[in-house]
Every structure is written in C-alpha cells, then in structure tokens.
Amino acid sequence: MARYTCLFTVAISVNNLPRVLNDTLESCNLDIIYDTGDYMMAREVPGQVSFPKLVTVEVLIDKTTATDEEIRMNFVIKNEELPLQVDNHCRQMFNQVSQAVSDNQHWKLIETVGG
C-alpha cells in the first residue's frame, strides 16, 4: 500500500475552513465521502486509473489547538497500489494535493512538514 503524509499549518477562520478545504480537494478530482468537522475523507473519482490505484485522502483537522490565526491539518494520502516506482500514481496525487494546499489563495500557508 502506498502512503504519504504531510502536516500543513494554515491561517484561516475555523468557520471558513470546511468550505475552502472541500473546494481544494474537489479541485484535485476528489469527492468528499465523509466529513465530521474535524475529520474529512475524500476519494479519487473513478475512471482515470484502475481500482487499486484510486487514491483516498484523509484529513485530520486539529481543532484542539486551532485559533483564527492558525489551524493544523494532517493529510494522509494512500491507495492499494504497491509503491514499486518512486513516481507512482499515489505520489503524483500527493504532489497534486500538496500543491493545491500550498497554492490556495483563501488561506495563508504558515508551515509544511513532510512530503
């Protein structure tokens, strides 16, 4: 199983985060399939790659330390594919999601750990 993780700290209002995060994931061809407010799961839209390569993104939002100045989000991006190549599909999706989070104009990226 391929698995990549990254921790992002962004500056955004707690109230605006769900909408912006949802839009960010959807811009990467991901559908939100589960959302509890502090946990979100999205799955890659089928049709472009084989089933084992479909990527799932889990986002844990740390609301225990969240303020209007900063919120931490832990991303886990994984699929059932064996990562036999460095540039596998899961890694490509990880790079795409990381870039979308980093480039998002609706929040200010404070820190990135991992990747």
Side-chain angles (χ1 to χ4, degrees):
M1 173 190 269
R3 179 184 177 103
Y4 301 94
T5 62
C6 194
L7 178 70
F8 293 99
T9 305
V10 297
I12 189 172
S13 158
V14 175
N15 295 333
N16 291 336
L17 179 66
R19 178 186 53 79
V20 174
L21 183 56
N22 192 333
D23 291 347
T24 302
L25 293 172
E26 287 180 351
S27 75
C28 297
N29 201 30
L30 298 162
D31 282 337
I32 308 305
I33 58 173
Y34 191 72
D35 184 1
T36 64
D38 58 356
Y39 174 82
M40 187 178 286
M41 180 185 281
R43 189 170 295 147
E44 188 174 8
V45 177
Q48 301 298 319
V49 295
S50 63
F51 186 75
K53 290 185 177 184
L54 288 176
V55 169
T56 300
V57 177
E58 297 179 356
V59 183
L60 181 62
I61 301 160
D62 187 2
K63 289 192 174 180
T64 60
T65 61
T67 66
D68 276 344
E69 288 81 41
E70 90 179 26
I71 298 173
R72 286 191 174 145
M73 301 180 292
N74 187 12
F75 282 70
V76 177
I77 300 171
K78 60 187 180 180
N79 69 3
E80 297 299 321
E81 168 186 32
L82 290 174
L84 300 176
Q85 300 172 347
V86 175
D87 190 29
N88 58 63
H89 179 69
C90 191
R91 180 64 186 199
Q92 292 169 359
M93 286 298 295
F94 171 80
N95 292 341
Q96 182 181 355
V97 170
S98 296
Q99 194 67 46
V101 171
S102 297
D103 293 347
N104 194 309
Q105 297 177 359
H106 297 287
W107 56 44
K108 180 182 178 215
L109 182 64
I110 297 172
E111 180 181 29
T112 304
V113 178

